[in-house]
Amino acid sequence: MIRLIFSLGCMLASNLDCSSSISRTIQDPIQKNDLSELTTLFEGTEPSDSIAGVYMLEMINLSEQEAKYDLMADLAIRLTNLPSPSVQAPDLKKKALMRAITHENQITKTQDRGNLHLKLAGAFFSLEQFDSAIYEYGEAIEKFSDKDSIYIADSYFFRAQARDYQGDLLLGMQDYQTARDIYLALDDREYVHYVDGGMAILFIKFAIYNEAEKIRNSLISTYQESGDSFSVAIQLYNQSEDFAKQGRLEDQLDYLVKADSLTPFDPRDYYIESMIKLSLSNYYGEQRDVEKQQKYFAQAQEMIYHVPEVATTNPVYLNAKAQLEYSQGNFSAANQLAQQSLRAAKVSKNMDHLISSYRLLGDTYYDLGQSAKAYEVRQELTRYTDSIFAANQATTFSYYQTLYETERKEKEILTKTQEIESINQRNKANLRFIAIIVFVLIVAVLLIFLGKNLKHEKKKKEMQSRFSQELLKNEEAERVRISKDLHDGLGQSLLLIKNKVALSKDNSTGELLDTAISELRSIARSLHPMQLEKLGLSKAAEHLLDQIDRETDIFVSTEIEELKGILKKEQELQLYRILQESINNVLKHSEASALRVLFTRIEKGIELKIEDNGKGFDFSEKLNDFQSLGLKTLKERTASIHGTMRVNSEKGVGTSLSFIVYV
């Protein structure tokens, strides 16, 4: 089951900073291909290739035109995770999702309908458009069915995060609790822990310290039991920050020291480790222990090389550096750093960092003798903290009032539930028996249906594969027949005519007959390569390339290993035909001056690579004309021997074809 995971980084380090129709952004070369052709092309392309995005967009367009809305929804969802560079623009993905949503009433799968909204909500979340994200998460919850419970839980969880960012304690906590209940029912313990971390963050925002501490200590115990020292350190760090807000300095130091004792992490995480060191530096700076303050700041400074963005944008680092300058009496430098820290804190919108930066900035202004500015900063700090206190006080009161009402109603519901339960117990046995019978019947019918469907699909694929192979075999048989007829029939007749002409000593006519016989033999060899049967694949390939080198102006280089006895006769024949057709394409279209052919053994088979320095082509522009390039025939021949084919071409650079046949 694929999970749509989004924005869990903030949960893992809660108090640490966490920083019309679809319009194609590339020229559309695809006009007439049908979905089956595009699907084949897409499946044969690396997802990280630019052309993969072109295929995917055109598949979405064609599926809409053909009213295949289930397929359209699936493709739009897959597009959001496609690594192709041509479809990384956020607006393009949003438009694809929104366009698919316009047809959601025709989409049969509830999972796809819900995931369209869930993906769209994630896009809004990443852009910090939380109102739109909350709306789309709600739509996702409505579109999923009961069987999609894991996705419903994810939707509640992510909507809780969006409400957390908006400072909505009551609705955010309600969504967290709903998500937690579903995860528990599904026994998804990992996500239960993520939800717990989110709830702790939300409690701390509204100064509900006791509840947050219970959650964090529970998480610390759980992660200790599982041996996850990294998660333990994060929770210790976050709880130490909570202690600092409450003025519990001894507990703050205790938890910071415990977190620091778990470093360095394996694998190394320099960001989290540096945050722990900087917090220790700040703690000792406030305690006027300059020696330890310098020690921990120096340790953090050594890690900045691995996370250089911390030095310019992270308010924790800037505040720690300012604190150190302040402790050393460098008030002017401390003032400049405090201003930088305040600007970074405003960008991060972190309440704790803002308060710390305001305080330090006021202290530096005061020690610089700028009392008016110090007073102005402290007034601004007072207004900020008062506004937070007033908002938190009202919200916290509402939370506890809601909690009380909820508990009272739950008691009433429990009493009524017990009464109903006593009645339901008498009917459970009969219902269970009926349910088992119905379930067995449904499973039996489903298994029969799936079995027949699977058998039908398997037979269909086998017939298609057999037809393709038989077609190629018949083609080769016909080539052999024609070659033999030309050689034994027309060839013998030409020889007889030549002998008669020789008797009449007509030299000019004899030369024409020699040319005709030579061309006839060349055609016969092309139709059925006798060298392949007599000499083997390697020698036949060398003979063919020597002929190209002699008869054309193209410089030919080869690296051909001895391949005798490795492949079956049918595989050798098809690989030889692939070589012929590829070279023919080079001669016709590439305008190349050099050609390179490699026949090499690989771990599980043989690889044929044909490279030229010709004019190349834009593969996406040639899709409508790919039959003229011979690519379709090459793909069919490759598929008939269960091989793989790759095309890499760029205008003005040349073309490289690779064919791998597995033994």
Side-chain angles (χ1 to χ4, degrees):
M1 179 180 290
I2 298 174
R3 295 285 295 281
L4 300 174
I5 309 306
F6 183 79
S7 189
L8 290 182
C10 296
M11 295 300 97
L12 294 175
S14 56
N15 289 357
L16 299 174
D17 283 345
C18 301
S19 307
S20 75
S21 62
I22 301 175
S23 299
R24 296 193 188 92
T25 57
I26 55 180
Q27 186 177 0
D28 184 358
I30 308 172
Q31 299 295 333
K32 298 178 181 178
N33 286 327
D34 59 33
L35 274 171
S36 61
E37 290 176 338
L38 281 170
T39 301
T40 301
L41 291 168
F42 178 78
E43 291 174 352
T45 305
E46 290 294 331
S48 57
D49 286 351
S50 293
I51 192 63
V54 179
Y55 293 151
M56 181 70 82
L57 287 177
E58 186 60 20
M59 288 161 69
I60 292 172
N61 284 332
L62 288 177
S63 62
E64 183 179 34
Q65 292 171 16
E66 297 177 17
K68 296 180 179 179
Y69 299 121
D70 283 335
L71 177 60
M72 182 185 183
D74 177 66
L75 293 171
I77 292 167
R78 288 167 58 191
L79 179 71
T80 61
N81 295 323
L82 189 69
S84 174
S86 61
V87 291
Q88 293 309 305
D91 283 344
L92 187 147
K93 295 183 179 182
K94 278 173 55 180
K95 287 179 181 178
L97 291 166
M98 294 172 73
R99 184 173 173 185
I101 286 172
T102 63
H103 304 290
E104 64 182 346
N105 291 334
Q106 286 79 42
I107 297 171
T108 58
K109 295 180 182 178
T110 58
Q111 189 178 116
D112 285 346
R113 290 202 297 265
N115 276 333
L116 285 171
H117 288 282
L118 190 55
K119 284 285 191 179
L120 183 58
F124 283 125
F125 189 104
S126 64
L127 296 171
E128 297 187 5
Q129 298 174 6
F130 299 120
D131 287 333
S132 297
I134 289 169
Y135 174 80
E136 291 299 334
Y137 285 132
E139 287 293 298
I141 292 168
E142 292 295 323
K143 303 303 178 185
F144 286 124
S145 68
D146 293 340
K147 64 182 180 181
D148 305 317
S149 53
I150 190 69
Y151 297 104
I152 294 173
D154 289 344
S155 300
Y156 276 112
F157 180 27
F158 301 147
R159 189 170 73 175
Q161 290 185 32
R163 284 176 164 158
D164 181 343
Y165 275 92
Q166 285 194 322
D168 192 335
L169 171 64
L170 299 179
L171 292 178
M173 196 59 67
Q174 182 179 322
D175 279 348
Y176 274 135
Q177 191 59 58
T178 303
R180 192 180 193 279
D181 291 341
I182 300 174
Y183 287 137
L184 274 176
L186 296 170
D187 199 29
D188 192 338
R189 298 288 171 178
E190 182 182 11
Y191 269 73
V192 170
H193 301 331
Y194 292 155
V195 173
D196 287 342
M199 294 171 72
I201 295 172
L202 198 50
F203 277 132
I204 289 301
K205 282 186 176 180
F206 295 93
I208 306 175
Y209 297 115
N210 291 338
E211 295 297 328
E213 186 174 354
K214 289 177 187 176
I215 292 173
R216 293 207 193 283
N217 286 334
S218 175
L219 287 172
I220 289 169
S221 298
T222 300
Y223 288 133
Q224 284 175 335
E225 290 173 4
S226 64
D228 187 353
S229 59
F230 179 70
S231 296
V232 171
I234 289 175
Q235 296 303 325
L236 287 168
Y237 174 88
N238 290 337
Q239 186 57 46
S240 73
E241 295 290 289
D242 298 345
F243 285 143
K245 297 172 190 175
Q246 301 170 66
R248 295 167 58 179
L249 301 183
E250 290 183 3
D251 291 329
Q252 178 193 6
L253 179 60
D254 180 40
Y255 273 56
L256 278 175
V257 170
K258 287 178 181 178
D260 188 48
S261 69
L262 298 173
T263 62
F265 304 114
D266 185 20
R268 198 76 181 267
D269 191 305
Y270 292 98
Y271 178 79
I272 304 300
E273 189 176 344
S274 65
M275 291 299 102
I276 295 171
K277 303 290 187 185
L278 290 170
S279 291
L280 281 165
S281 176
N282 279 337
Y283 174 85
Y284 284 114
E286 291 172 358
Q287 302 304 311
R288 300 294 187 267
D289 189 338
V290 180
E291 183 179 348
K292 289 184 178 179
Q293 182 185 14
Q294 290 175 325
K295 168 190 167 184
Y296 284 108
F297 185 83
Q299 291 178 4
Q301 188 72 36
E302 292 175 0
M303 302 173 195
I304 300 303
Y305 171 78
H306 300 282
V307 279
E309 67 276 7
V310 169
T312 56
T313 62
N314 192 292
V316 176
Y317 172 82
L318 295 169
N319 192 272
K321 191 172 183 180
Q323 286 274 19
L324 184 59
E325 294 288 353
Y326 185 79
S327 298
Q328 295 172 339
N330 302 324
F331 301 132
S332 180
N335 178 268
Q336 293 297 319
L337 288 166
Q339 291 184 51
Q340 294 179 37
S341 176
L342 180 59
R343 287 194 293 269
K346 287 180 178 179
V347 171
S348 70
K349 300 177 184 178
N350 185 291
M351 177 183 67
D352 304 319
H353 298 159
L354 278 167
I355 292 173
S356 297
S357 299
Y358 272 127
R359 285 176 178 167
L360 183 58
L361 185 59
D363 290 343
T364 57
Y365 274 131
Y366 181 81
D367 287 315
L368 286 170
Q370 300 181 34
S371 302
K373 285 190 176 181
Y375 177 77
E376 182 182 336
V377 170
R378 287 170 181 169
Q379 283 290 98
E380 191 172 349
L381 172 60
T382 301
R383 286 193 296 270
Y384 179 69
T385 53
D386 286 348
S387 66
I388 292 172
F389 176 78
N392 287 1
Q393 188 179 43
T395 305
T396 304
F397 176 77
S398 298
Y399 170 75
Y400 281 116
Q401 185 179 31
T402 303
L403 191 63
Y404 169 76
E405 292 294 333
T406 302
E407 289 178 354
R408 184 174 63 81
K409 289 179 181 179
E410 284 178 350
K411 288 180 181 179
E412 293 176 359
I413 292 171
L414 180 61
T415 302
K416 295 294 183 183
T417 302
Q418 289 173 344
E419 294 175 1
I420 295 170
E421 185 66 23
S422 63
I423 297 172
N424 289 339
Q425 286 296 332
R426 294 191 294 268
N427 300 323
K428 276 189 176 180
N430 291 334
L431 290 173
R432 190 180 299 114
F433 179 71
I434 294 171
I436 290 172
I437 292 175
V438 172
F439 177 75
V440 170
L441 289 173
I442 292 173
V443 170
V445 171
L446 185 62
L447 288 175
I448 292 171
F449 173 76
L450 290 176
K452 288 184 177 180
N453 189 53
L454 184 63
K455 186 177 181 181
H456 174 74
E457 289 298 322
K458 185 177 180 181
K459 186 176 181 180
K460 182 179 176 182
K461 288 183 179 179
E462 288 176 354
M463 289 178 65
Q464 289 175 342
S465 177
R466 197 180 307 120
F467 175 77
S468 179
Q469 292 175 8
E470 288 298 323
L471 187 63
L472 289 172
K473 286 181 181 178
N474 290 337
E475 180 186 339
E476 287 299 330
E478 187 65 13
R479 283 174 178 247
V480 171
R481 186 189 66 78
I482 295 172
S483 174
K484 186 175 181 181
D485 288 348
L486 287 173
H487 184 274
D488 296 343
L490 183 59
Q492 293 299 324
S493 298
L494 288 173
L495 285 173
L496 290 173
I497 294 170
K498 178 184 176 182
N499 291 334
K500 289 183 178 182
V501 169
L503 292 174
S504 64
K505 297 182 180 181
D506 187 347
N507 293 332
S508 61
T509 304
E511 289 176 359
L512 290 174
L513 282 170
D514 285 340
T515 301
I517 292 170
S518 176
E519 289 179 354
L520 179 65
R521 288 174 178 172
S522 177
I523 293 170
R525 283 196 300 272
S526 176
L527 286 169
H528 182 59
M530 299 300 296
Q531 297 90 346
L532 184 63
E533 292 183 1
K534 295 178 180 179
L535 305 176
L537 179 59
S538 298
K539 297 297 183 182
E542 289 177 354
H543 183 271
L544 174 63
L545 292 166
D546 287 343
Q547 183 180 358
I548 298 298
D549 196 20
R550 290 193 308 271
E551 297 177 1
T552 68
D553 295 331
I554 295 180
F555 175 76
V556 180
S557 62
T558 62
E559 293 182 25
I560 301 177
E561 297 183 10
E562 179 54 53
L563 307 174
K564 190 173 183 179
I566 298 177
L567 298 176
K568 297 177 182 178
K569 292 294 184 181
E570 176 64 21
Q571 289 177 313
E572 287 188 346
L573 177 59
Q574 292 302 334
L575 205 53
Y576 184 80
R577 290 298 187 200
I578 288 169
L579 176 61
Q580 281 184 312
E581 292 175 17
S582 299
I583 292 174
N584 189 42
N585 284 339
V586 173
L587 297 176
K588 283 184 178 181
H589 306 291
S590 72
E591 301 178 9
S593 61
L595 171 69
R596 183 167 178 251
V597 177
L598 295 88
F599 254 119
T600 56
R601 295 187 184 186
I602 58 175
E603 184 178 354
K604 295 183 180 179
I606 288 174
E607 180 179 15
L608 166 62
K609 185 175 286 188
I610 301 111
E611 300 173 339
D612 68 67
N613 66 344
K615 64 182 180 180
F617 58 90
D618 186 335
F619 193 55
S620 61
E621 292 181 356
K622 295 295 183 181
L623 284 176
N624 289 326
D625 198 31
F626 69 88
Q627 292 189 24
S628 68
L629 294 174
L631 294 180
K632 184 175 182 180
T633 303
L634 292 175
K635 272 188 84 71
E636 288 178 352
R637 288 192 180 277
T638 306
S640 72
I641 52 177
H642 308 293
T644 60
M645 166 183 167
R646 290 184 181 177
V647 181
N648 187 13
S649 184
E650 186 177 345
K651 284 188 175 181
V653 175
T655 301
S656 173
L657 301 176
S658 173
F659 305 89
I660 296 177
V661 180
Y662 299 99
V663 179

